[in-house]
Amino acid sequence: MLTITHTHEAGTIIEGTAKGDGTAEILKANCWRWGRSIGAWYVPNSRDRLPQDHIITRTAAALEAAGFPLAPLQIDRTSRSTAEVEAGKIARQADRVDALDAKADRKTATAETLWDAHMRDVARLPEGGEPIKVGHHSERRHRHAIDKAHSSARRGIDAHHEAEEAVRRANAAAVTTDARYNPVTVANRIEKIAADIRRVERRIEDDVYDAETGYRPATAEQKAKRAAHYAPQLDELRDQLAYWEQVRADQIATGKATGYSPATVHKGDAVKIRGHWRRVARVNTKTVSVETGYSWTDRVAYAEIQDHRTAHATAEEVAR
């Protein structure tokens, strides 16, 4: 009996499959992946998200059509708060960093051991690069020693490359959480979530297409039905927006992020962007246009402004 379950914390998983039972082909065709760490098939990017009903129902129909017994779907639509989701991500990332650090240490130790073995093989070769004495009783032993040194060198080099890759992955994983909470990234995420909310709200108010009369305004009943359908998604998005807005507010309060806006930046002011000072050519709603020294200007989001000087302060500095 196959069982498809979904929870916000674990995502969408199917249990009861076995290697070679024929389910793999069906699941792959429906965008599932095998999770070695959990020992089960899962829907990618389903953890910490609402269930993707179209994938679940399509998969269930395909499995039943192929003759596989399927238990009733167990779909939990309860969402965890964004704070819980983020805490879980940070904890999982910390575990991943520890695992990758341990793997890098093992690979490095293996590489050192194999290279030491290679150096011992090299030490067994005749001194001074003595050539092989063809026909001499030492020929076979000499050739074997050279082959062994070559083989151990290859193993040592391969192990060294594997160790370097393991260290690279460990270093990259170590900065993932910091990168996720980078002030500019947080500001961009807030903009995206707000746009997603507006998009879903527009879907509720969208006109309805009629084959005979064309588009017409949706009725109150249709809007209410859409609102009920999109309510879980909107609740999740609004919770995410509140969480990240609080993160940004805390970053601004502690000085980790700047909080510039059209109210604080004006044409003629100087702003510091990626370490370089630029003069403001135009102030927009979400960005500032800065001079480049050429015939065009660059547009930069307010979150990317690192420092700011008013036109008056800049003029006084030049005068001094």
Side-chain angles (χ1 to χ4, degrees), residues 207-222:
D207 292 344
V208 178
Y209 179 76
D210 186 280
E212 296 181 357
T213 62
Y215 285 98
R216 59 175 176 77
T219 64
E221 182 180 355
Q222 288 171 327

Side-chain angles (χ1 to χ4, degrees), residues 39 60 67 97 116 118 233 307 312:
V97 170
D116 289 343
H118 166 66
Q233 185 177 357
D307 201 354
H312 179 71

Side-chain angles (χ1 to χ4, degrees), residues 111 138 140 142 185 226 259 262 315:
S138 64
R140 184 177 179 181
H142 195 161
T185 303
R226 290 176 183 170

Side-chain angles (χ1 to χ4, degrees), residues 89-242:
K89 286 182 178 180
I90 292 171
R92 289 195 300 273
Q93 188 62 23
D95 292 341
R96 183 169 182 267
V97 170
D98 291 341
L100 288 173
D101 281 339
K103 182 178 181 180
D105 290 342
R106 291 195 304 271
K107 293 287 187 181
T108 301
T110 299
E112 292 175 352
T113 300
L114 289 174
W115 195 251
D116 289 343
H118 166 66
M119 296 308 296
R120 289 194 297 271
D121 291 340
V122 171
R124 295 190 183 98
L125 295 173
E127 295 182 3
E130 181 180 344
I132 297 174
K133 298 175 182 178
V134 179
H136 192 266
H137 65 83
S138 64
E139 179 183 356
R140 184 177 179 181
R141 183 175 64 252
H142 195 161
R143 291 185 184 280
H144 177 72
I146 292 175
D147 290 342
K148 189 175 182 181
H150 283 168
S151 297
S152 61
R154 184 71 268 163
R155 289 193 298 271
I157 292 170
D158 290 343
H160 176 70
H161 290 162
E162 290 178 4
E164 285 185 330
E165 176 61 15
V167 170
R168 184 196 66 77
R169 291 183 63 195
N171 291 339
V175 299
T176 297
T177 297
D178 287 343
R180 182 171 175 77
Y181 281 78
N182 176 277
V184 176
T185 303
V186 170
N188 291 338
R189 185 175 293 117
I190 290 171
E191 291 291 335
K192 181 182 181 304
I193 295 172
D196 288 341
I197 291 174
R198 293 192 297 271
R199 175 171 47 79
V200 175
E201 289 175 338
R202 285 196 300 271
R203 287 180 180 175
I204 297 174
E205 300 293 328
D206 277 347
D207 292 344
V208 178
Y209 179 76
D210 186 280
E212 296 181 357
T213 62
Y215 285 98
R216 59 175 176 77
T219 64
E221 182 180 355
Q222 288 171 327
K223 291 180 181 180
K225 186 176 179 180
R226 290 176 183 170
H229 173 76
Y230 287 115
Q233 185 177 357
L234 279 174
D235 289 343
E236 186 176 54
L237 287 171
R238 287 165 179 160
D239 183 67
Q240 291 174 359
L241 182 62

Side-chain angles (χ1 to χ4, degrees), residues 27-134:
L27 294 172
K28 286 180 182 177
N30 286 279
C31 303
W32 293 63
R33 290 182 188 172
W34 173 255
R36 185 174 58 180
S37 61
I38 61 176
W41 289 89
Y42 70 98
V43 174
N45 301 317
S46 61
R47 175 184 280 174
D48 299 327
R49 294 188 179 184
L50 293 170
Q52 301 179 58
D53 294 303
H54 63 290
I55 293 180
I56 295 173
T57 54
R58 187 178 65 208
T59 303
L63 290 169
E64 289 180 331
F68 291 99
L70 189 66
L73 300 177
Q74 300 178 19
I75 309 301
D76 183 355
R77 300 183 183 277
T78 306
S79 296
R80 297 189 299 161
S81 68
T82 304
E84 291 178 294
V85 170
E86 287 299 314
K89 286 182 178 180
I90 292 171
R92 289 195 300 273
Q93 188 62 23
D95 292 341
R96 183 169 182 267
V97 170
D98 291 341
L100 288 173
D101 281 339
K103 182 178 181 180
D105 290 342
R106 291 195 304 271
K107 293 287 187 181
T108 301
T110 299
E112 292 175 352
T113 300
L114 289 174
W115 195 251
D116 289 343
H118 166 66
M119 296 308 296
R120 289 194 297 271
D121 291 340
V122 171
R124 295 190 183 98
L125 295 173
E127 295 182 3
E130 181 180 344
I132 297 174
K133 298 175 182 178
V134 179

